[in-house]
Amino acid sequence: GRATAVSMEPSRRSRGDEGRKRKLEASNRKGSPVGSDLDFKALLDQHSEQMRRMQSQIDGLVAIKSTLQARLDGQAESQAQEVNELREKCEVLEARCSSLERSIQVLRKDVNWTYSAPDIPRSHWIEQGRDEEYAHNMEECLGRIKQDVEDIRKGENIYCRCLDYYDQMAILPDDALLPHFKELADAIQLSNGIGEISIDNIELHPSALGILFPAMEGRLKGIDMGRIRFPGPDVVKCYEIIAASIGRNHGLERLLME
């Protein structure tokens, strides 16, 4: 019979198998989808660990910074306290030096002390427009100042009331009184300290305050100021003199003001 021709081409089935085989080999060469997921997760874990370490380092640096800042704040506070203490000590020493200087000045001129403030005659007050009652009251006022000055000069620790006119006729300002205020101030300045001074129902000008209050610094334990009046134009200056003097009077224990 007729010879049958044999085809040399591969069958369709064989060609399909070979195609699938090639795709599988290519897929294996590129890496399977499951393998890619595992590699990505490992990479994320690695980055997460690096971030955790970096955050830990940052937290450590923040803690160190806080510690250093706390130390600096503590040192600054301690230094500020030391500065304030030194400033207070300097103020005390300055006040003492000023007081000693005033004492030396008084001693130089008071080697043989006598009460040298001039008498003020009754006629002076009448000429100023005051009445006889006021003139008589001023005579008593000057006598009280002189008595307290002499007692302080003797070293007595008195309660100085010569400027206290509570429930009495008010004392009005007059330059003739300044030498008597100076005698009182000098006596207080040279004393070892007196208990207290009371000033009440009197009008004082800056000139009188400038004589009396510096002498009180470091010499009085108590100051009682009642109805002290100041002239209108000089009110601020008067309070400044008193406030500055009280601020320098570091031995003051009692202060009363009405």
Side-chain angles (χ1 to χ4, degrees), residues 159 196 221-224 251-256:
Y159 187 152
E196 189 169 332
K221 297 295 184 181
I223 301 176
D224 185 352
L252 190 64
E253 298 176 356
R254 181 173 177 270
L255 173 65
L256 292 178

Side-chain angles (χ1 to χ4, degrees), residues 80-253:
Q81 183 177 355
E82 290 178 1
V83 169
N84 289 333
E85 290 175 354
L86 288 173
R87 184 181 294 112
E88 291 177 0
K89 290 179 180 178
C90 287
E91 290 175 354
V92 172
L93 290 175
E94 287 176 357
R96 289 179 179 175
C97 287
S98 297
S99 180
L100 287 172
E101 184 177 353
R102 287 191 296 270
S103 297
I104 291 171
Q105 292 173 353
V106 173
L107 286 171
R108 283 175 177 171
K109 66 177 183 179
D110 284 357
V111 177
N112 297 311
W113 176 83
T114 57
Y115 192 93
S116 59
D119 289 333
I120 305 175
R122 293 171 65 91
S123 59
H124 172 82
W125 309 111
I126 302 301
E127 291 171 0
Q128 296 294 322
R130 317 300 180 198
D131 56 20
E132 287 290 338
E133 183 182 4
Y134 186 86
H136 175 73
N137 188 58
M138 290 310 301
E139 285 183 344
E140 292 185 352
C141 165
L142 296 177
R144 292 172 59 184
I145 293 176
K146 183 177 180 181
Q147 184 62 55
D148 276 2
V149 168
E150 291 176 345
D151 290 343
I152 295 171
R153 287 276 187 171
K154 293 175 184 176
E156 296 182 16
N157 186 4
I158 69 169
Y159 187 152
C160 183
R161 297 179 180 272
C162 62
L163 300 181
D164 185 347
Y165 298 95
Y166 175 77
D167 202 25
Q168 300 179 44
M169 185 176 294
I171 303 300
L172 301 175
D174 194 301
D175 286 347
L177 291 172
L178 295 181
H180 297 270
F181 292 157
K182 187 67 169 62
E183 287 285 354
L184 178 60
D186 288 349
I188 294 173
Q189 181 68 61
L190 291 178
S191 71
N192 291 324
I194 63 175
E196 189 169 332
I197 188 170
S198 180
I199 307 173
D200 196 352
N201 201 21
I202 185 172
E203 182 173 332
L204 296 173
H205 284 198
S207 54
L209 294 172
I211 292 172
L212 292 169
F213 272 81
M216 299 179 190
E217 296 168 15
R219 295 293 186 270
L220 295 174
K221 297 295 184 181
I223 301 176
D224 185 352
M225 292 184 288
R227 294 162 296 171
I228 302 178
R229 292 183 295 277
F230 308 121
D234 296 324
V235 168
V236 174
K237 185 176 182 180
C238 289
Y239 276 111
E240 287 177 347
I241 293 173
I242 293 174
S245 180
I246 290 173
R248 293 189 297 265
N249 196 347
H250 299 281
L252 190 64
E253 298 176 356

Side-chain angles (χ1 to χ4, degrees), residues 34-88:
V34 175
S36 297
D37 289 343
L38 291 175
D39 292 343
F40 184 68
K41 184 176 183 301
L43 184 61
L44 286 177
D45 291 343
Q46 182 180 0
H47 284 307
S48 297
E49 178 63 19
Q50 290 177 349
M51 291 177 65
R52 187 189 65 77
R53 291 177 181 175
M54 291 176 63
Q55 186 62 49
S56 178
Q57 292 175 351
I58 291 172
D59 292 342
L61 291 173
V62 170
I64 293 173
K65 177 180 178 295
S66 299
T67 301
L68 291 175
Q69 187 64 50
R71 290 179 181 176
L72 289 174
D73 292 343
Q75 291 176 355
E77 183 178 353
S78 176
Q79 290 175 353
Q81 183 177 355
E82 290 178 1
V83 169
N84 289 333
E85 290 175 354
L86 288 173
R87 184 181 294 112
E88 291 177 0

